Amino acid sequence: MEKMKKLPDAEFDIMNVVWANKPPVTANIIMRQHGDGEGWKVQTAISLLLRLVERGFLRTEKNGKERIYFPVVDKEDYLRFETGNFLKQFHKNSFLNLATAMYNDEALTDEDIDGLRKLLNGRRD
């Protein structure tokens, strides 16, 4: 796959359904698990799936009259990519800047701080 790119929200929503299911998935699975609540039409789901194929996130095969889809990108790989972009774009590639922003915003709980302390101490060993 060429360089990974950020997914628009609707395509990310589709990928979350794909990642949550054992491959392959179909447009019907997408509609049942996500699309109906959003008022999507079948064609919308199919268009988004085709875009994900073009972007290299999915591959597709014909299975009788319907198309089936397989993930090409792992969820963990995509989340690592997105997190790295977020850290770079908004926090100058500094985890300390991110943690400070969250701490000052009181988004970090005592449990989060204990977890971070444990994680950081583990990195030192």
Side-chain angles (χ1 to χ4, degrees):
M1 185 175 124
E2 62 189 52
K3 187 176 187 243
M4 195 177 303
K5 293 185 178 165
K6 180 176 176 38
L7 291 174
D9 290 346
E11 291 175 31
F12 181 69
D13 291 345
I14 295 272
M15 286 305 298
N16 271 324
V17 175
V18 171
W19 289 321
N21 286 276
K22 184 178 179 205
V25 297
T26 62
N28 287 334
I29 290 172
I30 300 293
M31 292 297 294
R32 267 199 319 272
Q33 294 184 13
H34 181 269
D36 290 340
E38 299 295 317
W40 285 358
K41 293 182 169 59
V42 176
Q43 193 54 46
T44 302
I46 291 170
S47 293
L48 291 169
L49 286 163
L50 290 176
R51 249 191 262 155
L52 287 162
V53 169
E54 290 169 4
R55 290 176 188 258
F57 281 83
L58 296 175
R59 73 177 173 82
T60 186
E61 295 175 9
K62 195 97 161 119
N63 184 23
K65 290 186 176 186
E66 82 178 332
R67 289 213 154 269
I68 55 177
Y69 299 88
F70 299 84
V72 173
V73 174
D74 291 329
K75 184 175 186 174
E76 293 76 22
D77 290 340
Y78 184 73
L79 293 179
R80 196 171 13 263
F81 162 77
E82 275 282 25
T83 302
N85 276 351
F86 177 80
L87 195 60
K88 183 178 177 182
Q89 183 175 0
F90 295 105
H91 297 285
K92 299 179 184 168
N93 241 0
S94 168
F95 180 78
L96 182 59
N97 285 352
L98 171 65
T100 300
M102 295 182 76
Y103 182 77
N104 288 339
D105 195 30
E106 299 179 11
L108 289 175
T109 66
D110 288 344
E111 187 177 286
D112 290 332
I113 293 168
D114 290 341
L116 280 170
R117 186 173 286 127
K118 185 176 178 181
L119 176 71
L120 294 172
N121 287 336
R123 287 290 297 258
R124 248 188 212 160
D125 297 335

